Amino acid sequence: MVNKAQNSANLDSSKAGSLVCVGTGIALAGQITTIAKSHIENADVVFAALPNSIADQWLASLNPNIINLQQFYVDGMPRTECYQNMVNAILTEVRTGKNVVGAFYGHAGVFAWAPHESIRIARSEGYSAYMEPGISAEDCLYADLGIDPGTVGCQAFETSQLLFYKHTVDPASLLILWQIGIAGDHTFTTYDSDINKLELTVQFLNQWYDNDHEVIVYEAPFLPTQTVRMDRIKLKDLAKCKLSMISTLVIPPAKKLELDHETLAMFGLKAADLTSHQEKRTEITEVN
Ligand SMILES: C[S@@+](CC[C@H](N)C(=O)[O-])C[C@H]1O[C@@H](n2cnc3c(N)ncnc32)[C@H](O)[C@@H]1O
C-alpha cells in the first residue's frame, strides 16, 4: 500500500517540508473530516481561507500558528494576482522545511485555484504535497435541496466561463452555476453583482430555458445562526434578486431525457428492455 504522502511527490524522501491542503467544510466546525482536523492540529503553520472571523477563531483553537490568506485580497487587485501571492506565501513556508497545511473552506479543490497550484509546484520541487477532500457547497446543495445529481446527470460551470466559452448546455440535466453573483465579470476585481450583466446572463440562458423556468438561488449557512437560502424564482427575475459572492444558481432540467436508440441498438437493446428501475432513476423527484 502506498500512502498519500508517499504517492504525492517525485519523492526525495529526505527533503524536509510538506504541504497538505484540506477542506474545512461549509458549516462551522462540524463538516471537517477527522483527518483534515488532525493535519491542522499537527501542522507547523496553517494558511487559512475561511469565510468569517468566527471560523478563523475556531481554526486558531485547533492550531494557533495561523496565517490568514484573506490579507492577500487587495482592493482593485485582480483575484488571479491575489491567488498567485497566496501560492507564493504557502510555498515560501514549505521551502523552509515546515509541515504546512492550507485550510480552505468547503472542498480545497473545488473551484479553488490556489490549493491545486500550490500542490503542483510543491510536488514539482520534490516536496510531499497532496489534498484531502472536504464538504463543498455542492455537497450541501444536494442535501439541502434533495437533489441527486445521478438522477438525470448534472453539469456545473463557473458562470462567466459558461458565458465566455463555447460549452454545450444539456437542458435535460441539472445545471449548477457557480459564482452567479459576478456573472459576466472578466476583470476578476469585482465582488458585486452587475444588474446589466445578470440580465445578459438571463438572455444567454434563454437559449435553453424559458423566462418562466424555475431556478433556485442557493446559499448554505456557514454558521449555526444562519439559515439555508433556497429561493425559487423565475429565471426572468434573476437580475432583480439579491446575489452575493456565495450564491450558487441551480437550474432544474427544462426537458425530459431522451433515449438514444442508436446506442441502445449497439448494445443489442430496445427501449422496452430497460427495466422500470432504470426508467425510475431518470424521474426527477420534487425538491423540498
Ligand atoms: C471560489 S468558489 C469556492 C467553493 C468552495 N471551494 C467549495 O468547496 O464550496 C466560490 C463559489 O462557491 C459557491 N459557494 C461558496 N460558498 C457557498 C455557500 N455557502 N452556499 C452556496 N454556494 C457557495 C458560490 O457559487 C461561490 O461563488
Side-chain angles (χ1 to χ4, degrees), residues 26 51 73 83 104-113 134-141 159 177-182 218-222 244-249:
I26 298 289
Y73 289 107
Y83 298 150
F104 296 81
Y105 84 89
H107 186 308
V110 173
F111 290 81
W113 181 81
I135 293 183
S136 71
E138 189 171 340
D139 297 310
C140 297
L141 179 161
T159 311
L177 296 183
W178 296 71
Q179 305 204 136
I180 186 67
I182 47 171
Y218 175 74
E219 290 174 13
F222 287 117
S244 77
M245 286 296 286
I246 67 155
S247 308
T248 299
L249 190 70

Side-chain angles (χ1 to χ4, degrees), residues 6-7 27 31 78 114 130 145 161 163 179 229 240-241 245 263 268 281:
Q6 288 164 334
N7 197 26
Q31 288 181 347
Y130 60 96
L145 298 180
Q161 191 196 81
L163 295 169
Q179 305 204 136
R229 177 179 183 190
K240 286 188 253 162
C241 185
M245 286 296 286
T263 310
R281 283 190 54 195

Side-chain angles (χ1 to χ4, degrees), residues 62-124:
L62 301 181
N63 186 328
N65 301 315
I66 304 285
I67 299 177
N68 197 328
L69 287 169
Q70 300 297 346
Q71 66 185 289
F72 291 95
Y73 289 107
V74 177
D75 261 357
M77 183 188 280
R79 279 190 296 284
T80 41
E81 216 172 302
C82 307
Y83 298 150
Q84 185 61 63
N85 292 338
M86 293 179 189
V87 170
N88 296 344
I90 292 170
L91 286 164
T92 300
E93 292 294 321
V94 174
R95 289 175 189 133
T96 64
K98 290 188 183 146
N99 293 320
V100 177
V101 164
F104 296 81
Y105 84 89
H107 186 308
V110 173
F111 290 81
W113 181 81
H116 283 297
E117 182 65 0
S118 305
I119 289 172
R120 186 189 69 75
I121 296 175
R123 282 184 181 179
S124 75

Side-chain angles (χ1 to χ4, degrees), residues 24-65:
T24 59
I26 298 289
L28 175 71
Q31 288 181 347
I32 189 168
T33 63
T34 308
I35 195 162
K37 197 170 170 190
S38 159
H39 280 301
I40 290 168
E41 286 167 341
N42 293 302
D44 295 325
V45 58
V46 180
F47 284 89
L50 300 193
N52 52 55
S53 57
I54 298 175
D56 290 338
Q57 282 168 34
W58 160 72
L59 196 71
S61 75
L62 301 181
N63 186 328
N65 301 315

